[in-house]
Amino acid sequence: MLELRPTCEHCNKALPPNSLDARICTYECTFCALCVDSVLGNVCPNCGGGFVPRPIRPSTNWKDDNFLGKDPASGTVRHRPVDPAEHARFSAAIKTIPPDKR
């Protein structure tokens, strides 16, 4: 079950469960689209993976209790700003590795 973390780890922007701006990596590291595009270059600073749009969990119980009321979003903020210069070096190194070897 995705945690649906409440904010961008870099800039701390609010990312509510219905946000179309939230991006996650395979480990659920959560950032806003602006930080992913302008600071991170689509490379997660925590694992080196890429990002995808975070799915939106329905707020309405359409079927079988699969909704926010039963499985609420996380309230735990993980504000860990990235050092842009350090991340640029990390991202550049990751991008030199062939995709099938990452």
Side-chain angles (χ1 to χ4, degrees), residues 36 40-51 87 90-92 94-95:
V36 165
L40 304 176
N42 199 41
V43 175
C44 179
N46 304 316
C47 71
F51 291 95
H87 183 71
F90 174 68
S91 178
I94 293 291
K95 289 179 179 180

Side-chain angles (χ1 to χ4, degrees), residues 36-73:
V36 165
D37 294 339
S38 65
V39 178
L40 304 176
N42 199 41
V43 175
C44 179
N46 304 316
C47 71
F51 291 95
V52 297
R54 183 181 71 190
I56 294 174
R57 186 170 300 149
S59 59
T60 301
N61 184 11
W62 299 112
K63 187 175 182 182
D64 300 328
D65 285 337
N66 294 312
F67 74 117
L68 276 170
K70 182 172 180 281
D71 297 307

Side-chain angles (χ1 to χ4, degrees), residues 5 9 23-25 27-31 44 46 51 80:
R5 296 176 185 169
E9 291 183 29
R23 302 293 182 264
I24 60 173
C25 75
Y27 289 101
E28 293 187 60
C29 301
T30 304
F31 295 87
C44 179
N46 304 316
F51 291 95
R80 303 181 282 192

